[in-house]
Amino acid sequence: MSETNRENEFGEIKSVLVYLEQIKKDIHTKSLSEQDDFKKEIKGRHDRKQIKMLHGRLEDQFEVKKAISYLVTAFLALVSLVIGSTMSFALGIIKDNGMNLSTAAVVIIYLFFVAIGAWVVISKFDSGRFGKLNCYKRLLQECLDEMPEKNILEEEYKKHQTPY
């Protein structure tokens, strides 16, 4: 692939995570040798500057994800508030009309399990996304650590060159 195609391809990336998953999906569940293959692929496709850019974008996504993780807690607090208010209101109506309180207990238990189920699903989704972001970020950092900096190599070359 020519250098221009690489630059055009790199410039077309809209989501770093989606791009990296296209190269190797679910790398966080793969073996170390498969992760090494992924790193070789990245180093073959991109130069150090591009890998730094990808790494920076992933870091940003990771930080944003951490920053908004409080929304899960806020959501569950609101759900708890609504369930509590609804139960209190419903129990008042049931008592006023002389209805069976065992039905209310079943509804309360049902709502409790729905809230717990929602929490499990949201937490599972969030932790999976954190795992992916963290793994790709780590692998890009390892790529950067393994790649020599161009400036250091150029300086070493210039030191050993003899002037004419």
Side-chain angles (χ1 to χ4, degrees):
M1 179 184 306
S2 73
E3 190 64 33
T4 5
N5 286 342
R6 280 189 192 168
E7 287 176 18
N8 289 341
E9 222 175 78
F10 182 77
E12 297 298 317
I13 297 172
K14 292 183 181 178
S15 170
V16 173
L17 185 60
V18 170
Y19 171 72
L20 294 173
E21 284 181 325
Q22 287 173 349
I23 294 173
K24 189 75 161 184
K25 192 166 182 76
D26 295 330
I27 196 72
H28 63 291
T29 61
K30 304 293 184 196
S31 68
L32 290 177
S33 62
E34 289 175 298
Q35 290 178 357
D36 280 340
D37 292 342
F38 172 80
K39 291 190 305 187
K40 287 175 189 170
E41 177 74 21
I42 290 293
K43 290 187 284 188
R45 286 185 183 203
H46 303 288
D47 60 20
R48 186 173 176 78
K49 182 181 174 187
Q50 290 174 336
I51 294 174
K52 274 185 179 180
M53 288 175 67
L54 292 172
H55 183 263
R57 298 300 194 287
L58 269 188
E59 261 184 358
D60 292 346
Q61 284 182 358
F62 188 77
E63 292 302 318
V64 166
K65 194 79 174 143
K66 275 191 340 189
I68 63 171
S69 65
Y70 74 90
L71 292 175
V72 172
T73 307
F75 170 73
L76 291 174
L78 287 172
V79 167
S80 298
L81 179 67
V82 168
I83 289 174
S85 299
T86 304
M87 286 188 302
S88 176
F89 180 71
L91 285 175
I93 291 175
I94 289 172
K95 282 182 183 178
D96 291 343
N97 293 329
M99 299 171 113
N100 188 0
L101 287 178
S102 64
T103 306
V106 170
V107 170
I108 291 169
I109 291 172
Y110 175 75
L111 290 174
F112 173 76
F113 283 121
V114 167
I116 293 295
W119 176 76
V120 166
V121 168
I122 291 170
S123 296
K124 185 88 169 154
F125 178 76
D126 262 2
S127 67
R129 188 134 170 106
F130 269 128
K132 283 181 188 179
L133 284 170
N134 202 29
C135 183
Y136 283 115
K137 190 175 104 171
R138 165 67 60 197
L139 292 173
L140 288 177
Q141 183 60 52
E142 288 175 8
C143 287
L144 289 171
D145 293 344
E146 293 170 4
M147 293 177 76
E149 289 195 37
K150 188 176 179 183
N151 295 340
I152 293 173
L153 292 176
E154 287 176 354
E155 288 174 18
E156 288 296 317
Y157 177 73
K158 288 177 183 177
K159 280 184 191 176
H160 298 299
Q161 242 183 357
T162 55
Y164 292 107

